[in-house]
Amino acid sequence: MTLQRKKSQRLVTTTPATSVGAALESIKPLISPKLLDGLEIQKVCSNGNINPRILTLSDDLFTLFVSHHKVGKKESLADRFQYKSFKAYATVVSSVTGMTVRATHDIRVIDVADILFVQSGYIGSRKLEACKAPMDPRKIISIFHNQNRTIDFLVEDEDRNALLTAIQTIREAYHASKVKVGREQLLLRYAWYDTDWDKSGLLEQSEFTQLLNRLNIYLKQEKAIQIFKEYVAAKYPKKGGRIGSMNHHGITFKDCLDILRKIKLEQTNGGTQMSDVIFNDLFGEKDVVTAEEFLTNFLRQKQEENATIDDVKRVFSELNSMEISGASYRIGADGKGDNDSIDRMRFGEYLTSSRNDLFNPEKQKFDSLTLSRPLSEYWINSSHNTYLTGDQLKSFSSVEMYVVAMQRGCKCLELDCWDDSVGYPIVYHGYTITSKIPFQDIITCVKHYVDDNPDTLPIILSLENHCSHPFQEILADILNKTLDDRLYVPESSSPLPSPLDLVGKVVVKGKRPPENDDDDLTASEYIEEELDPYSSVEDALVDSVSAKVGESSLISNLSRDVRDKLKLRSTTNLKNPDTPPQLPKIFPELARLTLFNGVNYKGFRASTDLPITDMHSFSEAKVLKVLNRDPANASLWKEYNREHMSRIYPAGSRVDSSNYNPIVAWQMGCQLVALNFQTDDSPMTINDGRFRENGRCGYVQKPLSVLPMTETSNSDGSILLRIKVLSGSCLPKPYGESVGEVIDPYVIVRVHQAGKRGRIRSSLTKRTTSGPVDWLETTERKTSLVRDNGFCPQWNESEYFSFSVTSDVSMVEIVVMDSDAGFIDDQMCKAAIPVSCLRQGIRSVQFYDQCSSQHGPFGMARVLVDVDIKHTV
C-alpha cells in the first residue's frame, strides 16, 4: 500500500520514542505551522540556477526536507525516505562510470544531528558565488551540514525569521536533551530513517538486516534472520509474530535495542563487555556500586581525581535520570535521579561520557582569566591562503572557506590582494590559475561573523598586499566602511593589546612603510618575510626541489602563458638581485589601520630591539634553516616571541596544499602557525586538538616552558606516558556514510614532539630510524585488527604503548582506521589532545570527522583507553 497524504496533511514520521523526541515535541507550539505544512523557497543549485522548491519540517522536528513539491501530489513517502540510500548508490555509480546519476525526485534530507551551523544575509558559499541570477542578500539562508556541505536558498522576508528561529530552537532543544539519552539510543534513532523505509515505525526482516550493516555489525544473513524470527516469535507468540493492528511482521525501537544488546554480548570476548570487566576489577561481581565506593575505588585511586562525595552524588543523580538501554530508571522521592548508587549499565555510560573525557574537560572550558596578557603570549589558530578550496595552483577560491575557517575557530585569515581590471581589488593566488573573488565579499563575510558572534576574540586579517596605490585606497575604504567600529585602529604609542582588549574587533596585519620612508623593500627581500606573493610558486619552481615538483601534473597542467610568467618572475627576482623591481609603497590610510607590520628578518639579536608591532614570517623550510644555523637561535627565537610575533607558513613545494607539523613552531613560541585548512591530514588534526583548549576560542596561552624568562631545561621534567587501547563503541563508517561494508577497525596512537634531531619510530619494528624532518619526533603505535565489528570492538591490548615525552608542547593523536585489504586503509574518525591536557586512568576518547565536527554518527563514536602518566626528573 502506497502511503500518501493530502495537501492539508503534514509530513508525519515515526521517530523512536526517546526523551529527545519528547523535548522536540514540547517546542512544537513555537514552530510556524507553515514550516510543517511546506514552505515555498527558491533553492540555489550547484549549476548556478535558482529553482522553486518546498521546504518541510517533519512533524517530529527531527528532519528537514527540500523537495520539488508537497507530498501527496506525485510521490510517496517511501520515495522520499529512500534518498539517502539512493545518494550512496549514485556516488558509487558516478565514481565508476563518470556519469551523473539523478533521482526521479531529487530530495534533500537533513537530520537535526547533521546541522553544523546556519548563516544568513550574505553570499558565503560556493553555490551562491556561482549563482547566475541576481539575489537579494537579505533573503539568503545557508545550512551547513555533513562535512560542510551546504544547502542554500532564498526565503521571503515574512518567512525568513520564522525559519531561522525554528532551526535555532530545534537545534538548542536537541543538543540540550541528547545528553540525557544513551549513545546507543541516539545512534539507533539517527539510523532509523535510513532503515525504516516504509515509515511504519517497525523494522521488518529485511530492514533489520540493513540496520545491522548500518551500525557496523556483521552477521551472516541466515544468522541475522534467525535472531529476528526467534525474537518476534518469543515476544509476540499470541499474534504469530504480528505486532498490534499494523499487520506487520516487525520489531519496535525498544525491541531493536534489546536485540542489539544481546548481539553485543555475543560479539564481545568471552561474552563480557569491557565496562563489566572494569566494573568487576574495581568493585567486584555485584550489580550496583555505591557513591562512596565509586569515589574511593575509582575516582581517587584509579582516576586520581580530587572529587568529593557531593560531586559523585550529583553525577549519580544525572546518570540515574538518563534514558539508557536495558537500565531501569532510579528516581528518588523528590523526582530526581537516585544519588546513592548506579548499576553496571549506567557505569558503562559514565565511562564513555564527556565527564570521563581523556581531554580534561576543565581545560576545554573557556577561561577569560587567561586572556589578559599581550597577544604575543598566545598561540593563535591561523590559516594559510584561506581562500583556496584545493591545491595552490589551479583550485577555486571561495568566500565559503573563510566561513568554514572561522566556524572552525580560526582567528588569523590570509588574503592575497591584487588589482583587477574591473576596478576593485580581488583575492587569489597570484601568478596561478586559481579563481578570483572580490575583497569586498570576504570583508562582508567577516563583518557578519563578528555581528553573529559579538564576543569573539579578535579576528586577524593577514594581508598580502600586491595592489597599486589606487587599489590600496579602495582596500582601506572597504575596511573602514564595512567593518566600521569593529575595526581596531592602533595608536602609535599603544603597547601590544591582549585578546580581551580586542573582543569583537578585527585587526589588520600587513605592512607599514619604514619611518624614514626612503627605502622600499625589493621583491627578493619581500619574499624573505611574510609578504611572500609567490611562495607557493617560486619555491616550487626555483628551490632545490623544483625539478621534482615541476614534473607534477599540477605544474604541467598550467597554461604556457602562466608558466612563462612564472619563469620570468623567478628569474627577475632571484637571478638579478641588484636590479629588482620595486614593490609599491603602502598607502597611508591602509598603513594607519595596520597593527602588525611585517619586516625583513636579519637575526633575532637585532630583531628583539624592534618595535613590538614589527614581526617576522618564515616558511617551514626556513624555520629549520634558522634553528640549524646557530644552536643559540632556539632560545633567541623564544626570547623574541615573548614580546614580538612570528608567523609560519607552508613551504612553496606543497602545491597540493598538504601541511607541515606545527609542533616545532609552537615549541619556538611562534604564535601564528598557519596551515591549509582545506586539507584533512595529521597536522590539521593536531591543530584542531590544540585549539579545543580554552573553549575553542582560537587563543591558547603558551606554557611557561616556551617563555624564556621562566624557562628551565623543562618546566615539569619529562613524562613517561603509557596508553592501552581497550575497546570501542558506535564507530562510524568512513566519512560517516550510511552504506558500505562493515568496518575492520584498528587504532593508531601517535605522540608528536619537538626534539634536537627528528626521529620517526616505526610502529611495526619499534626501531628508531632517521626521520625526514629535523627537530620533529613522531612515535607511532598500532593495535591489532578487529574483524567485522565497529559497533562494539574490543582490543584489550596485552601491553601498554609507552612514550617518553620531553615537552609540554607535545600532542597525542589517536586515529581509528578501517583496514581495507589490497587498498589504502580508510580513516574513520580522529582526535588529538595536548599532553598537558591528558588525564590519568580509564578514559574515553571523543572523536571528530575530517572537518573537526561531531555531526551525526561522529558524536557517538568512542574508544576506551587506560592511561598512566608518570612525571620523571
Side-chain angles (χ1 to χ4, degrees):
M1 174 181 176
T2 301
L3 300 177
Q4 296 259 335
R5 69 171 186 161
K6 297 178 181 178
K7 294 181 183 179
S8 60
Q9 292 178 307
R10 290 177 180 169
L11 182 56
V12 179
T13 54
T14 51
T15 301
T18 65
S19 55
V20 179
L24 296 185
E25 180 68 26
S26 68
I27 65 170
K28 191 182 293 186
L30 304 177
I31 306 302
S32 170
K34 187 182 291 188
L35 300 177
L36 300 169
D37 293 330
L39 175 68
E40 293 182 358
I41 63 173
Q42 298 293 315
K43 181 175 178 287
V44 181
C45 303
S46 56
N47 60 8
N49 295 330
I50 298 179
N51 296 320
R53 293 290 187 268
I54 302 295
L55 182 149
T56 310
L57 292 178
S58 62
D59 196 57
D60 54 35
L61 304 183
F62 270 106
T63 315
L64 182 150
F65 300 90
V66 176
S67 58
H68 286 71
H69 44 72
K70 290 188 178 183
V71 174
K73 285 187 176 181
K74 298 180 180 178
E75 61 191 355
S76 69
L77 274 173
D79 289 334
R80 286 178 156 271
F81 282 89
Q82 292 174 18
Y83 175 69
K84 280 189 177 180
S85 298
F86 168 81
K87 183 177 179 182
Y89 159 77
T91 301
V92 173
V93 172
S94 298
S95 64
V96 173
T97 66
M99 300 174 61
T100 301
V101 181
R102 288 190 176 273
T104 304
H105 306 299
D106 190 10
I107 314 300
R108 292 293 295 272
V109 183
I110 303 177
D111 191 279
V112 62
D114 286 328
I115 298 177
L116 302 177
F117 60 93
V118 180
Q119 67 179 29
S120 62
Y122 66 101
I123 297 174
S125 78
R126 292 182 63 180
K127 292 177 185 175
L128 294 172
E129 289 173 316
C131 185
K132 302 171 184 176
M135 295 178 292
D136 182 352
R138 294 172 298 179
K139 299 181 180 180
I140 292 175
I141 294 179
S142 298
I143 299 176
F144 284 71
H145 64 98
N146 301 74
Q147 280 98 35
N148 288 323
R149 300 185 183 101
T150 67
I151 182 166
D152 309 272
F153 47 88
L154 308 178
V155 184
E156 294 301 322
D157 293 343
E158 60 270 21
D159 299 317
R160 177 178 174 274
N161 290 338
L163 177 56
L164 290 173
T165 301
I167 295 175
Q168 179 182 352
T169 303
I170 291 169
R171 293 190 67 221
E172 289 175 353
Y174 172 79
H175 289 288
S177 59
K178 76 172 186 177
V179 297
K180 303 175 184 178
V181 181
R183 290 178 306 106
E184 291 179 9
Q185 286 95 313
L186 289 174
L187 181 60
L188 182 57
R189 197 286 308 167
Y190 180 77
W192 198 261
Y193 284 118
D194 296 339
T195 49
D196 183 16
W197 280 32
D198 60 5
K199 303 303 122 186
S200 64
L202 308 171
L203 292 189
E204 299 182 6
Q205 180 177 291
S206 61
E207 295 171 334
F208 174 71
T209 57
Q210 182 189 7
L211 175 70
L212 294 181
N213 178 278
R214 177 73 173 81
L215 299 180
N216 281 313
I217 299 172
Y218 175 77
L219 290 176
K220 291 185 177 180
Q221 185 83 356
E222 307 80 37
K223 177 67 173 177
I225 293 174
Q226 178 187 350
I227 291 175
F228 180 88
K229 288 183 175 180
E230 288 178 354
Y231 183 90
V232 172
K235 186 162 186 179
Y236 306 99
K238 294 183 180 180
K239 297 181 181 180
R242 298 178 185 273
I243 303 176
S245 60
M246 296 288 291
N247 199 30
H248 275 273
H249 291 276
I251 56 176
T252 65
F253 181 77
K254 185 177 182 302
D255 293 334
C256 195
L257 286 171
D258 291 340
I259 297 176
L260 292 177
R261 191 164 56 252
K262 294 177 181 178
I263 292 175
K264 185 166 67 171
L265 287 174
E266 291 179 1
Q267 293 204 340
T268 52
N269 298 332
T272 304
Q273 298 180 62
M274 182 56 61
S275 61
D276 285 329
V277 173
I278 297 169
F279 188 99
N280 293 339
D281 289 343
L282 291 169
F283 313 117
E285 297 187 3
K286 54 184 181 179
D287 294 331
V288 298
V289 56
T290 65
E292 290 78 8
E293 292 171 323
F294 186 88
L295 175 64
T296 302
N297 297 3
F298 182 54
L299 291 186
R300 289 183 175 171
Q301 293 183 9
K302 179 64 180 176
Q303 308 294 81
E304 297 186 2
E305 293 185 27
N306 295 319
T308 67
I309 192 66
D310 290 337
D311 296 329
V312 174
K313 289 189 173 184
R314 190 180 308 111
V315 171
F316 275 21
S317 179
E318 294 172 357
L319 288 171
N320 283 321
S321 301
M322 288 182 65
E323 179 184 342
I324 298 174
S325 172
S328 58
Y329 284 98
R330 301 168 64 89
I331 305 298
D334 58 357
K336 298 181 179 180
D338 176 24
N339 61 11
D340 293 325
S341 63
I342 55 172
D343 61 18
R344 288 173 173 267
M345 289 186 177
R346 297 187 187 279
F347 175 74
E349 194 65 36
Y350 174 85
L351 287 178
T352 58
S353 71
S354 59
R355 304 177 187 88
N356 194 45
D357 195 346
L358 177 59
F359 196 129
N360 191 337
E362 292 301 314
K363 295 281 190 176
Q364 295 184 59
K365 293 179 181 178
F366 177 73
D367 184 3
S368 62
L369 297 179
T370 67
L371 295 167
S372 59
R373 302 295 300 167
L375 287 171
S376 58
E377 295 189 20
Y378 297 87
W379 291 317
I380 304 172
N381 201 352
S382 305
S383 169
H384 170 253
N385 288 357
T386 313
Y387 47 88
L388 290 179
T389 61
D391 67 72
Q392 299 289 309
L393 297 180
K394 58 184 180 63
S395 64
F396 286 99
S397 303
S398 176
V399 176
E400 180 179 314
M401 302 309 293
Y402 291 88
V403 175
V404 171
M406 287 187 288
Q407 290 290 340
R408 199 167 178 169
C410 183
K411 289 297 184 273
C412 182
L413 311 170
E414 185 171 19
L415 299 83
D416 291 2
C417 307
W418 298 81
D419 295 359
D420 189 58
S421 58
V422 298
Y424 293 97
I426 55 168
V427 171
Y428 86 113
H429 200 201
Y431 291 94
T432 71
I433 54 175
T434 55
S435 64
K436 304 171 182 179
I437 52 177
F439 178 82
Q440 174 70 72
D441 288 359
I442 298 171
I443 304 305
T444 298
C445 164
V446 173
K447 167 189 174 293
H448 278 272
Y449 178 84
V450 174
D451 288 345
D452 293 339
N453 303 272
D455 295 329
T456 182
L457 294 181
I459 304 292
I460 301 172
L461 302 181
S462 180
L463 303 184
E464 285 197 5
N465 181 8
H466 311 282
C467 293
S468 61
H469 259 213
F471 281 83
Q472 289 186 39
E473 184 176 5
I474 298 175
L475 290 180
D477 188 60
I478 290 173
L479 290 170
N480 276 317
K481 291 182 177 178
T482 305
L483 297 176
D484 196 30
D485 59 356
R486 306 167 191 83
L487 182 63
Y488 174 74
V489 180
E491 299 178 4
S492 57
S493 59
S494 296
L496 207 58
S498 72
L500 283 184
D501 293 333
L502 300 173
V503 168
K505 295 293 185 180
V506 178
V507 174
V508 175
K509 169 193 166 295
K511 184 163 183 59
R512 294 193 300 270
E515 289 186 6
N516 57 14
D517 201 25
D518 60 356
D519 185 20
D520 286 337
L521 283 179
T522 65
S524 57
E525 290 174 326
Y526 202 65
I527 292 169
E528 276 293 300
E529 55 183 283
E530 144 53 25
L531 303 178
D532 180 354
Y534 323 113
S535 61
S536 294
V537 177
E538 290 197 357
D539 288 350
L541 297 178
V542 183
D543 279 0
S544 60
V545 297
S546 61
K548 179 179 179 180
V549 177
E551 296 171 357
S552 71
S553 60
L554 289 172
I555 297 291
S556 60
N557 285 337
L558 293 176
S559 67
R560 179 180 297 274
D561 178 61
V562 172
R563 280 181 283 167
D564 289 343
K565 288 181 180 179
L566 295 178
K567 183 178 180 181
L568 174 63
R569 184 63 184 177
S570 61
T571 302
T572 301
N573 286 346
L574 301 179
K575 292 190 175 182
N576 299 294
D578 295 331
T579 57
Q582 296 297 311
L583 296 175
K585 295 181 179 180
I586 305 302
F587 187 72
E589 178 60 15
L590 186 59
R592 186 182 72 87
L593 304 178
T594 301
L595 173 62
F596 294 115
N597 175 40
V599 298
N600 195 22
Y601 167 73
K602 297 183 183 299
F604 290 118
R605 289 182 174 87
S607 297
T608 302
D609 295 329
L610 292 172
I612 58 175
T613 55
D614 284 359
M615 62 173 292
H616 297 317
S617 291
F618 306 86
S619 71
E620 59 171 297
K622 188 162 185 179
V623 170
L624 299 178
K625 291 178 183 178
V626 168
L627 292 175
N628 291 327
R629 184 180 300 153
D630 183 346
N633 275 343
S635 58
L636 289 173
W637 202 345
K638 293 178 185 180
E639 173 65 29
Y640 169 81
N641 283 330
R642 186 166 62 86
E643 293 185 343
H644 295 79
M645 304 283 283
S646 291
R647 181 176 184 266
I648 315 300
Y649 56 89
S653 57
R654 295 184 182 274
V655 292
D656 60 350
S657 293
S658 59
N659 283 305
Y660 60 96
N661 194 309
I663 290 290
V664 174
W666 286 335
Q667 185 72 52
M668 296 303 109
C670 300
Q671 300 86 354
L672 304 172
V673 183
L675 299 179
N676 293 307
F677 269 51
Q678 70 270 35
T679 302
D680 173 33
D681 55 12
S682 178
M684 268 308 301
T685 301
I686 294 169
N687 190 75
D688 289 330
R690 169 68 68 200
F691 290 102
R692 279 176 64 191
E693 195 174 349
N694 205 9
R696 290 177 175 261
C697 72
Y699 287 76
V700 173
Q701 192 169 28
K702 294 188 292 187
L704 296 178
S705 62
V706 299
L707 295 176
M709 62 182 182
T710 58
E711 183 189 22
T712 58
S713 58
N714 274 297
S715 59
D716 295 315
S718 299
I719 294 174
L720 176 60
L721 175 64
R722 301 167 67 237
I723 299 177
K724 181 191 288 187
V725 180
L726 302 177
S727 63
S729 59
C730 301
L731 300 178
K733 296 184 187 297
Y735 305 103
E737 292 291 349
S738 58
V739 296
E741 295 180 345
V742 173
I743 62 175
D744 303 320
Y746 65 93
V747 179
I748 298 175
V749 181
R750 301 187 185 105
V751 170
H752 305 271
Q753 58 185 327
K756 176 61 178 177
R757 275 282 167 226
R759 299 187 299 276
I760 295 181
R761 292 194 176 116
S762 168
S763 59
L764 299 178
T765 65
K766 296 185 181 180
R767 292 181 301 174
T768 299
T769 58
S770 177
V773 180
D774 290 342
W775 289 83
L776 176 65
E777 181 177 328
T778 297
T779 307
E780 178 181 299
R781 299 285 185 264
K782 293 181 184 178
T783 68
S784 57
L785 183 70
V786 175
R787 295 284 183 188
D788 296 322
N789 186 355
F791 187 65
C792 54
Q794 289 194 182
W795 292 278
N796 196 21
E797 298 287 301
S798 58
E799 297 181 359
Y800 285 86
F801 298 153
S802 295
F803 306 91
S804 177
V805 183
T806 59
S807 168
D808 54 2
V809 181
S810 304
M811 297 285 297
V812 175
E813 181 186 10
I814 301 175
V815 184
V816 183
M817 303 291 293
D818 176 24
S819 178
D820 195 352
F823 298 91
I824 298 176
D825 293 350
D826 293 315
Q827 177 181 277
M828 293 183 297
C829 49
K830 58 186 181 175
I833 306 169
V835 166
S836 59
C837 298
L838 293 173
R839 293 201 291 175
Q840 170 84 20
I842 297 172
R843 300 295 180 179
S844 170
V845 182
Q846 321 278 311
F847 286 103
Y848 297 81
D849 67 4
Q850 62 266 40
C851 298
S852 191
S853 73
Q854 289 187 307
H855 85 273
F858 293 93
M860 296 81 155
R862 299 288 188 273
V863 163
L864 274 183
V865 294
D866 190 356
V867 178
D868 181 53
I869 304 171
K870 284 187 171 57
H871 292 270
T872 59
V873 179

